[in-house]
Amino acid sequence: QPFLIKTNHHLANLYQNMSVLENHHWRSTIGMLRESRLLAHLPEEMTQDIEQQLGSLILATDINRQNEFLTRLKT
């Protein structure tokens, strides 16, 4: 991630240097889910909720934001 930010990679720009790899993995996951239509049988509201939950789980793997997540967990 620091390399992508320092080299001004397009992904770093796209995600405004914030959890670049995690955001990329989240968006890739959502793209694959939508393309496969794996969740097509579910109501739209439930699909959006699943996508948000997946995002929260993937973004929580950003080691640079560990303290932020730990603080949120404690409260």
Side-chain angles (χ1 to χ4, degrees):
Q1 182 160 284
F3 176 78
L4 295 176
I5 293 169
K6 285 181 182 179
T7 59
N8 205 27
H9 193 274
H10 75 277
L11 287 176
N13 291 325
L14 179 64
Y15 299 117
Q16 300 171 339
N17 298 336
M18 188 73 151
S19 302
V20 177
L21 296 173
E22 292 79 11
N23 274 301
H24 175 65
H25 294 148
W26 176 24
R27 294 299 173 196
S28 296
T29 300
I30 298 307
M32 287 185 283
L33 281 173
R34 289 178 180 175
E35 187 176 324
S36 70
R37 300 188 42 78
L38 184 66
L39 305 177
H41 66 286
L42 298 173
E44 181 65 25
E45 185 177 300
M46 189 178 285
T47 300
Q48 289 177 351
D49 186 47
I50 290 170
E51 290 177 357
Q52 285 302 117
Q53 288 182 30
L54 281 170
S56 294
L57 291 168
I58 293 170
L59 290 174
T61 65
D62 185 351
I63 197 70
N64 294 321
R65 297 178 62 196
Q66 181 181 14
N67 287 332
E68 173 189 337
F69 294 125
L70 286 174
T71 301
R72 231 193 278 171
L73 180 64
K74 289 175 184 177
T75 57

